[in-house]
Amino acid sequence: MDFELTEEQRLFQETAQQVAEKEITPIAERVDESGQFPRETIAQLGELGFMGVAVPQEYGGAGADTVCYVLALEEISRACASHGVIMSVNNSLYCEPVLRFGMEEQKRRFLAPVASGKSMGCFCLSEPGAGSDAANQQTTARREGDWYVLNGTKNFITNGNEADYAIVFATVNKALKHKGICAFAVERGTPGFTVAHLEKKLGIRGSSCAQLTFDNCRVSAENLLGKEGEGFKIALATLDGGRIGIAAQAVGIARAALEASRDYSKQRIQFGKPIAANQAIQFMLADMATEIDAARLLTLNAALLKDRGLRHTKESSMAKLYASEVAMRASIKGVQIFGGYGYMMDYPAQRFMRDAKITEIYEGTSEVQRMVIASALLS
Amino acid sequence: MHTIVCIKQIIDPEIPADQFKLDASTKRQVRGGLSLVISAYDQNALEVALQLREKVGGKVTALCLGESGAMGAIKTALGMAVDEGVLVSDPPLLESDPFGVVHILAKAIQKIGVPDLVLTGCVSGDTGDKVMGPLIAEELGLPCVTFVSKVEVKDGKALVRRIVEDGYELVEAAFPLVVSIISDDSNVPRYSKLKDIMVAAKKQVPTWKTADLGLDGERVGAGAARLQMRDVSIPERDSKCEILDGETPEERAERLALRLRELKVI
């Protein structure tokens, strides 16, 4: 692996740092507290190209690679994990499958507006009864001539309240199990497509998490991504990339926890000296920093494999599994280092801990990642 | 309209104070692995140039004298959508005093081709020098307007907004001219668009050395320096905390205001 960043990767990182530091960090606490979707800053990220980082410029994206995406996403997530997940879903879970599996006309219609940041996308796989068991899709797609009629409920859809376009998975025949699943690009405003409910969450509170319903929602056959029955393959391939994004988000959250803890430990005086002078604190900081570096390397490794067009299912799962658990451990240590203040809402340590938890759950729980890794090892 | 913007790469002023170090022998800041940025007012100058290009067309060239790593500053400027960049980098040249630097930059500007407009930051972000604009103008024999926030073109002439105490002056000047730029709400530097970064990263930037510029050897380098830095030190900061009492918020605010006035802060 080549650890030296290219000129464009360095500039991406530099720009993401600037935008994160000047525009996002100052509002992160307010976004968390209010639970309001940060429209202005997301629009600004869109204008700058952060919503379609790895999409070619001809389809409205920045035309960069996955490593650039990962570097940028870490910086944005370090400032605010809500911004991180909004960016991650738009890039990894919406743009990526349309780019990879869409026909030319579909890319013009469904990719360009979203990759350019003018519109937003979401990914509708989870259902009330289909979480880790994603193949158990109950949403149906009934073929009627040149149309499909969708019926069903999608759960926990990030960006679901704001998305102008959704990739919706539905089965044409439940008996076919995963081979009956199809992927559709569905435009907001299509009759029968409704935002039914918004969830209240522990963390990443600035991003929306919606329940979407499809009630006799008629979608043109032109909106089918890939072929009929290829939906599950599209979902899994998409999640291989998505997990790299969540790993980067987790590294960003962990870094935020480490940096806040380091700074606090240098200025918090107890027993006449900064608590950073205590070996107990030093060891916690050392463990956090070491694990974060390891998590970043796993994430960059998965990103590099993806950029080289190599299989990265196992490596993406490893990065996501490890980085998310590092984020959790680091943020818990952060609360501990902050002591009583860490438990208070006035300090950011608690926010990092609440934000970190979801990274162990969405886009495949830690348990699912272990299943994926073990499956690759034993196959 | 061709604008050349002179930019300088400096240590990021936002780094924690405890990371800032001085080399006792050279009397210069120790760069080490510290984050480097384009000097703040030079960033404002880039923004002014880009806004001018958007209005009247033409091109913008970023010119930088620095270590080889200063290519990063040029690339950052290109990422902001500057058209071209030139780096002047030769270790002996970096020992020059401001008079030597001006001679080098002026020679580089002449080699590029004297443009309609040369912009500099009004103050160097690391040394605090305010001489670049006027001295470059002197060297090139051009008029100069200093501490300017905005440049417009009207009837073929430059109309510049020069910031003065309690207001501004509108100054008309003929091209070509040199303008030093101050920061203002109208020239907040833009962020690079990611697609522009992709272009910037691939763009070829020439690096010029002493031999490329036809420099007067008696005016550049350590030996020619007319200014000597005798001593430099990091100011000691002493912070004290004072708690002001008061029954009501209004009372506390009044006491705070009176105390700040007593301390001559307000």
Side-chain angles (χ1 to χ4, degrees):
Chain A
M1 197 195 307
D2 185 356
F3 294 102
E4 195 173 339
L5 299 184
T6 64
E7 193 60 39
E8 63 205 33
Q9 288 163 353
R10 185 191 68 74
L11 288 168
F12 260 66
Q13 191 179 43
E14 180 183 286
T15 300
Q17 272 170 1
Q18 287 171 359
V19 177
E21 201 60 36
K22 289 183 188 158
E23 310 293 336
I24 300 177
T25 298
I27 64 166
E29 186 182 340
R30 196 166 72 237
V31 165
D32 174 63
E33 198 173 327
S34 69
Q36 295 289 312
F37 186 87
R39 289 185 187 283
E40 284 182 21
T41 37
I42 289 298
Q44 189 176 17
L45 288 178
E47 281 170 23
L48 293 172
F50 285 85
M51 300 308 267
V53 176
V55 174
Q57 294 191 4
E58 59 184 303
Y59 301 119
D65 58 18
T66 316
V67 170
C68 284
Y69 169 56
V70 159
L71 294 169
L73 190 50
E74 179 186 327
E75 296 301 329
I76 301 298
S77 302
R78 172 182 165 261
C80 172
S82 294
H83 283 78
V85 71
I86 294 165
M87 177 179 156
S88 174
V89 166
N90 203 76
N91 277 275
S92 297
L93 298 191
Y94 183 86
C95 290
E96 173 80 16
V98 182
L99 175 67
R100 197 159 155 199
F101 299 100
M103 307 290 281
E104 185 60 27
E105 176 57 21
Q106 290 176 324
K107 289 180 196 172
R108 300 272 166 218
R109 271 183 71 196
F110 302 123
L111 179 57
V114 178
S116 62
K118 294 186 180 77
S119 301
M120 184 163 291
C122 68
F123 179 83
C124 306
L125 181 65
S126 295
E127 296 184 356
S132 293
D133 183 11
N136 182 33
Q137 293 284 303
Q138 298 300 307
T139 300
T140 56
R142 189 178 69 248
R143 182 89 193 224
E144 285 186 1
D146 291 338
W147 297 83
Y148 288 89
V149 181
L150 307 184
N151 277 288
T153 300
K154 293 293 176 180
N155 248 25
F156 302 152
I157 306 305
T158 302
N159 296 349
N161 193 41
E162 296 78 21
D164 304 283
Y165 299 90
I167 293 177
V168 181
F169 295 88
T171 178
V172 287
N173 183 350
K174 288 181 191 171
L176 292 174
K177 299 190 174 172
H178 69 276
K179 290 183 179 167
I181 297 171
C182 305
F184 300 93
V186 184
E187 288 155 297
R188 188 187 187 89
T190 306
F193 174 5
T194 312
V195 178
H197 172 70
L198 291 177
E199 306 290 348
K200 293 178 183 169
K201 308 192 295 304
L202 177 70
I204 53 165
R205 288 171 37 77
S207 66
S208 70
C209 181
Q211 185 180 69
L212 305 180
T213 56
F214 297 86
D215 181 11
N216 286 321
C217 178
R218 284 170 67 82
V219 178
S220 167
E222 291 175 355
N223 293 26
L224 177 70
L225 283 184
K227 294 186 184 130
E228 202 172 86
E230 284 188 344
F232 197 62
K233 184 185 84 175
I234 292 172
L236 292 186
T238 302
L239 288 170
D240 280 350
R243 285 164 185 164
I244 302 174
I246 299 307
Q249 185 202 21
V251 172
I253 297 169
R255 216 178 103 206
L258 168 64
E259 290 170 4
S261 305
R262 179 198 60 199
D263 295 348
Y264 181 80
S265 69
K266 284 161 76 174
Q267 50 130 333
R268 171 68 172 166
I269 308 291
Q270 289 289 277
F271 304 106
K273 60 184 180 184
I275 61 170
N278 300 320
Q279 210 172 46
I281 301 293
Q282 292 172 5
F283 281 11
M284 278 199 270
L285 294 172
D287 287 347
M288 290 159 82
T290 306
E291 290 190 350
I292 290 168
D293 269 14
R296 184 183 295 109
L297 289 174
L298 281 175
T299 307
L300 286 170
N301 181 50
L304 269 175
L305 289 175
K306 184 170 184 294
D307 284 337
R308 289 173 184 167
L310 300 170
R311 185 82 193 262
H312 54 278
T313 303
K314 179 181 65 155
E315 290 76 9
S316 296
S317 281
M318 285 176 164
K320 198 268 187 185
L321 169 66
Y322 189 70
S324 62
E325 295 192 350
V326 164
M328 203 62 233
R329 283 197 291 274
S331 59
I332 288 174
K333 285 193 179 98
V335 170
Q336 194 67 21
I337 290 169
F338 271 77
Y341 293 108
Y343 201 67
M344 301 302 150
M345 301 302 275
D346 293 341
Y347 286 79
Q350 47 75 32
R351 170 161 58 90
F352 303 141
M353 188 173 74
R354 288 185 289 107
D355 286 343
K357 185 60 204 171
I358 191 61
T359 63
E360 293 184 318
I361 298 170
Y362 57 18
E363 297 197 35
T365 60
S366 290
E367 292 69 30
V368 164
Q369 306 309 329
R370 289 185 167 91
M371 283 164 55
V372 172
I373 296 162
S375 167
L377 290 173
L378 298 170
S379 65
Chain B
M1 171 69 65
H2 181 204
T3 304
I4 294 179
V5 185
C6 301
I7 62 173
K8 182 178 188 183
Q9 188 184 49
I10 64 168
I11 293 172
D12 186 350
E14 301 291 326
I15 61 165
D18 60 0
Q19 290 182 19
F20 186 86
K21 302 269 187 307
L22 288 170
D23 184 311
S25 58
T26 63
K27 311 278 192 279
R28 287 171 185 248
Q29 299 160 15
V30 179
R31 291 200 164 190
L34 295 177
S35 163
L36 301 171
V37 296
I38 298 173
S39 181
Y41 292 114
D42 299 350
Q43 292 184 42
N44 298 118
L46 287 167
E47 179 61 32
V48 168
L50 292 167
Q51 287 181 14
L52 194 60
R53 187 188 65 186
E54 283 161 6
K55 283 192 182 147
V56 302
K59 71 170 182 177
V60 178
T61 302
L63 169 64
C64 181
L65 166 67
E67 296 171 6
S68 59
M71 183 61 83
I74 295 280
K75 290 286 182 174
T76 298
L78 291 169
M80 290 171 74
V82 160
D83 301 278
E84 287 171 12
V86 174
L87 175 65
V88 180
S89 186
D90 206 349
L93 298 182
L94 304 181
E95 304 298 320
S96 305
D97 70 358
F99 299 104
V101 169
V102 162
H103 179 60
I104 297 161
L105 290 177
K107 283 289 186 186
I109 289 167
Q110 285 169 334
K111 184 173 166 75
I112 295 167
V114 175
D116 304 290
L117 185 62
V118 176
L119 298 183
T120 69
C122 64
V123 182
S124 168
D126 53 357
T127 58
D129 290 334
K130 301 176 183 174
V131 297
M132 278 303 124
L135 289 183
I136 289 173
E138 178 76 17
E139 185 84 5
L140 293 173
L142 299 179
C144 179
V145 189
T146 52
F147 299 100
V148 167
S149 65
K150 195 172 186 180
V151 179
E152 291 178 304
V153 177
K154 193 175 179 188
D155 302 329
K157 291 182 176 175
L159 190 63
V160 301
R161 179 183 289 242
R162 180 171 192 267
I163 303 298
V164 295
E165 197 171 0
D166 299 329
Y168 63 86
E169 298 169 349
L170 279 179
V171 180
E172 189 181 271
F175 293 113
L177 83 155
V178 180
V179 170
S180 80
I181 299 294
I182 196 165
S183 83
D184 177 84
D185 285 349
S186 69
N187 61 30
V188 176
R190 65 192 62 192
Y191 295 115
S192 301
K193 289 188 174 176
L194 302 188
K195 62 183 171 64
D196 292 330
I197 288 176
M198 298 302 292
V199 176
K202 292 174 180 65
K203 206 165 254 184
Q204 294 294 314
V205 176
T207 300
W208 292 343
K209 299 197 172 295
T210 307
D212 298 313
L213 293 173
L215 297 171
D216 178 349
E218 292 188 358
R219 295 184 61 186
V220 297
R226 293 151 68 186
L227 283 176
Q228 298 279 331
M229 181 72 78
R230 288 294 173 90
D231 199 11
V232 60
S233 62
I234 297 172
E236 284 184 20
R237 287 188 184 173
D238 187 20
S239 61
K240 285 182 199 161
C241 181
E242 200 173 317
I243 308 283
L244 298 174
D245 290 328
E247 292 296 317
T248 63
E250 290 79 8
E251 198 180 324
R252 288 196 289 274
E254 187 181 341
R255 287 189 184 177
L256 175 63
L258 289 171
R259 181 69 182 127
L260 289 173
R261 186 183 293 173
E262 195 178 304
L263 293 167
K264 300 193 188 313
V265 175
I266 58 174

